[in-house]
Amino acid sequence: MKRCLLCFAMVCIMCVASVAHAGKAVIAVSQFVEHPALDAVLEGFKDELKEGGVDVEYKIYNAHGNMSVVYQIATQIVGDKPDMIVAIATPTAQACVKQYDKVPALAGTPMLFTAITDPLAAGLVSNYEKPGGDITGVSNQMPMGEHLDMIRKFFPQLKKLGVIYNGGEVNSISSLKRLRPAAAERGVELVETTVTNSADVQQAAVSLVGNVDAIFIPTDNTVVSAMDVVVKVCRRSQTPLFVADTDSVSRGAIAALGFDYYLHGRQTGAMAIRILNGEKPADMPVEFQKKLAFHVFPTAAEKMGVTIPEALIKEADIIHK
C-alpha cells in the first residue's frame, strides 16, 4: 500500500512539473532600442514560443536608446513579477541584472539575455559553461577578423577604415578590443570616432569623410538606430559603408557578414521553452550563433560609387535589391 501511495505521489509530482506553465506564462521583455536587428530578435523569440505551444502574456518595454529609461524599465519589470525576464541588448541586460542584487525576492526568476556581444565583460555571467544563478542566454559575439577580410574583398588595398561606435556600450567596447588587433595584423589603420547618443552620429560620420577609405559600423545599438543618417553621409561623400549587422544592409550599406537575428531570437526562444519546462538557467551554458551570412546590396554600392565584382555577388548568401 505504501509503495502504491509513493508511486502515486511521484506521478503527481511529474505531472505538476510538466504542466507548471500549462497556464499563461508572463514574460517581461526589455529592449534597448528599436532597429531591425533587435526587432527581429523579438519576433523570432515570440515565433519560437508560439510554435512550441507556449501560451504567453508579454509585457514588452522599449527604452528607445535612453539609458535613464533603461533603469526605470528594469524597476518596472520587478514590479510585474514575471515568470521570466528577457533582455535584448547589453544595456538592458545589465540594468536587469542589477535588480537581482537589489531585490532579493527576484531570486529564482529566470532571465535570458540575447543579442549580447560579450556577456562576460558585461558582467552578466562569470562562466560561459556554468553560468550559475538565474541568468543565461545567447551571445552574438563575432570573429572581427572575418569582417575585415570581407571588406578587403571589395578593397584589397584598404589602408584606413573609419569606425563609429558608442563608447558607453560595453558590447561596442568589446568589439573594438577584438577589432584593433585584427586590423593591425592586416595592416589596416582604424580611425575611430565615438558618439554618446543617436544625435551625434551624423557629425561622427561627417568627421570621417575624406580621412578613410571606407566606414564600418559594428553591432552598436546607438549607431545602428541612426543608420539612415550614416547612409546619407556616405552617399553624398561617395564613402563606402560596411556593417556587421545584416539587417542594416537593406537600409543602404554595401555589405555585411553577420548573423540572422531572427534565428538568433528563435535560438533564445528555444532556451526559454526549456526553462519553462523545468531546466535551470544555472545549468544551461551560454549559447553562441555560429553561422554567418554574407549580404550584399549592389544598388547601394553604386550610390556610393562602388561596383561590386560579379564574383563577390555570386558568393553572397543574400542579394538585396
Side-chain angles (χ1 to χ4, degrees):
M1 182 65 178
K2 289 182 178 179
R3 182 178 296 178
C4 291
L5 288 173
L6 179 60
C7 291
F8 177 74
M10 291 179 64
V11 170
C12 287
I13 292 171
M14 292 174 64
C15 288
V16 170
S18 66
V19 298
H21 282 282
K24 187 167 288 189
V26 177
I27 297 181
V29 179
S30 180
Q31 182 173 327
F32 180 54
V33 69
E34 288 182 345
H35 64 63
L38 299 189
D39 294 345
V41 170
L42 179 56
E43 181 185 0
F45 180 85
K46 293 169 72 175
D47 285 352
E48 184 69 22
L49 267 68
K50 183 178 180 179
E51 290 185 18
V54 182
D55 189 10
V56 181
E57 176 188 346
Y58 289 101
K59 293 183 179 293
I60 299 174
Y61 301 92
N62 194 306
H64 301 287
N66 188 319
M67 287 303 299
S68 63
V69 175
V70 164
Y71 287 94
Q72 292 171 15
I73 288 173
T75 302
Q76 176 64 48
I77 284 176
V78 172
D80 290 338
K81 297 181 179 179
D83 297 307
M84 176 182 291
I85 299 170
V86 176
I88 305 176
T90 301
T92 54
Q94 289 178 306
C96 289
V97 165
K98 287 184 178 180
Q99 292 300 314
Y100 282 81
D101 297 327
K102 295 180 180 179
V103 185
L106 200 56
T109 302
M111 172 180 151
L112 282 171
F113 55 75
T114 185
I116 308 292
T117 301
D118 194 334
L120 288 178
L124 305 181
V125 294
S126 58
N127 187 294
Y128 284 143
E129 289 301 317
K130 297 180 179 179
D134 300 309
I135 301 162
T136 188
V138 185
S139 171
N140 63 349
Q141 190 173 117
M142 302 185 194
M144 301 308 292
E146 292 189 34
H147 288 297
L148 292 171
D149 292 340
M150 181 267 294
I151 297 172
R152 292 177 72 187
K153 286 183 178 181
F154 293 83
F155 299 101
Q157 304 306 314
L158 178 71
K159 295 298 181 184
K160 286 189 174 184
L161 181 65
V163 184
I164 308 173
Y165 66 99
N166 182 347
E169 286 194 31
V170 173
N171 51 299
S172 299
I173 296 298
S174 173
S175 293
L176 264 294
K177 284 182 178 179
R178 290 178 289 114
L179 183 62
R180 288 167 186 147
E185 288 173 5
R186 291 161 175 78
V188 175
E189 177 186 349
L190 297 183
V191 181
E192 302 174 20
T193 180
T194 61
V195 299
T196 57
N197 54 55
S198 57
D200 298 338
V201 173
Q202 181 172 356
Q203 185 55 45
V206 170
S207 72
L208 293 174
V209 172
N211 297 316
V212 297
D213 301 315
I215 292 175
F216 174 68
I217 307 298
T219 51
D220 182 287
N221 295 296
T222 302
V223 182
V224 171
S225 69
M227 184 60 63
D228 295 343
V229 172
V230 183
V231 170
K232 287 179 182 177
V233 171
C234 288
R235 285 179 178 176
R236 284 199 302 266
S237 63
Q238 297 288 276
T239 304
L241 173 64
F242 298 90
V243 291
D245 165 32
T246 55
D247 289 292
S248 293
V249 176
S250 61
R251 299 171 70 186
I254 293 174
L257 183 69
F259 300 126
D260 182 322
Y261 278 88
Y262 175 78
L263 295 180
H264 198 78
R266 294 204 68 136
Q267 186 172 346
T268 311
M271 293 186 78
I273 292 173
R274 288 165 56 196
I275 291 171
L276 292 173
N277 283 334
E279 288 193 48
K280 302 295 184 183
D283 303 324
M284 299 171 64
V286 173
E287 296 186 6
F288 295 83
Q289 191 176 346
K290 298 297 185 183
K291 181 175 173 53
L292 298 179
F294 180 33
H295 290 228
V296 299
F297 195 171
T299 302
E302 290 174 8
K303 291 180 179 179
M304 294 174 191
V306 177
T307 300
I308 301 178
E310 190 62 32
L312 278 183
I313 294 177
K314 289 181 178 179
E315 280 186 33
D317 297 296
I318 295 180
I319 302 169
H320 296 261
K321 298 180 179 179

